[in-house]
Structures are given as structure tokens and as C-alpha cells.
């Protein structure tokens, strides 16, 4: 993996993470830094996958960019959608006092 691949993955991840915040409707339960970090991490994962699978020597940057963008987009969408889901009935979110109640005597 070259330095340009890492820089490309960083740029793609930040761009997709930022655009994902703007494109997805509704209130976001995921912080901005997390969407950017997920975008960068998944774009790097996409670059690694392309490096393992693609053994061509022509050096065309189109395939790696497409794969990095796809990985980053899927990760950001899944994170935002999963974080925005309401809690299932009968369950309380962590840290909201869902512990045992005092028994009345």
C-alpha cells in the first residue's frame, strides 16, 4: 500500500463521512467525529481489500476509489441508521436507571 493510497482513503473517508451526515434525513444520533472516523476506517479497509484482490499493474485509480467509496458509504449509512433506531419495547437504554426498583414494605 502506497502513500497515495492512504491519502486517497483518508480523503474519500472524510468526504463520504461528511456527506453521509448531510444526505441522510432526520436527527442524527451519531456524532460527527464518529461518522468521519467510520468513513476513513472503512475506506482504508476498502483499500486493503483492493490491494489483496487486484493484482493488475496498470495502476488505474478508478477501482480502488469506487471500492473505498462503497465501503465508506455502507459503513456510515449503517451506523447512522442503527444509532437512530428506537429502543425495543420493554428495554431501557444503558445508564437511564433501568435497574431494580426498591420494594415497598
Amino acid at each position: 500500500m502506497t502513500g497515495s493510497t492512504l491519502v486517497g482513503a483518508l480523503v474519500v473517508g472524510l468526504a463520504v463521512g461528511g456527506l453521509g451526515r448531510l444526505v441522510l434525513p432526520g436527527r442524527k444520533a451519531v456524532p460527527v467525529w464518529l461518522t468521519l472516523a467510520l468513513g476513513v476506517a472503512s475506506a482504508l479497509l476498502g483499500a486493503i481489500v483492493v490491494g489483496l484482490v487486484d493484482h493488475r499493474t496498470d495502476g488505474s485509480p478508478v477501482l480502488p476509489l469506487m471500492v473505498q467509496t462503497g465501503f465508506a458509504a455502507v459503513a456510515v449509512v449503517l451506523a447512522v441508521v442503527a444509532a437512530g433506531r428506537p429502543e425495543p419495547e420493554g428495554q431501557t437504554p444503558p445508564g437511564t436507571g433501568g435497574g431494580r426498583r426498591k420494594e415497598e414494605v
Side-chain angles (χ1 to χ4, degrees):
M1 188 177 301
T2 64
S4 63
T5 304
L6 292 174
V7 170
L10 179 69
V11 170
V12 166
L14 290 174
V16 171
L19 288 174
R21 295 285 297 188
L22 298 174
V23 172
L24 293 172
R27 185 174 174 272
K28 310 300 187 289
V30 179
V32 174
W33 66 268
L34 185 58
T35 58
L36 295 175
L38 280 171
V40 170
S42 55
L44 284 171
L45 179 64
I48 291 169
V49 168
V50 168
L52 292 173
V53 173
D54 188 26
H55 297 291
R56 292 181 292 157
T57 58
D58 64 352
S60 174
V62 175
L63 179 66
L65 285 176
M66 287 177 27
V67 172
Q68 289 172 0
T69 305
F71 272 57
V74 168
V76 169
V77 167
L78 287 176
V80 171
V81 168
R85 286 189 181 158
E87 291 293 320
E89 291 295 322
Q91 293 183 1
T92 57
T96 58
R100 294 173 34 192
R101 286 201 258 167
K102 287 185 177 179
E103 294 183 26
E104 293 182 23
V105 187

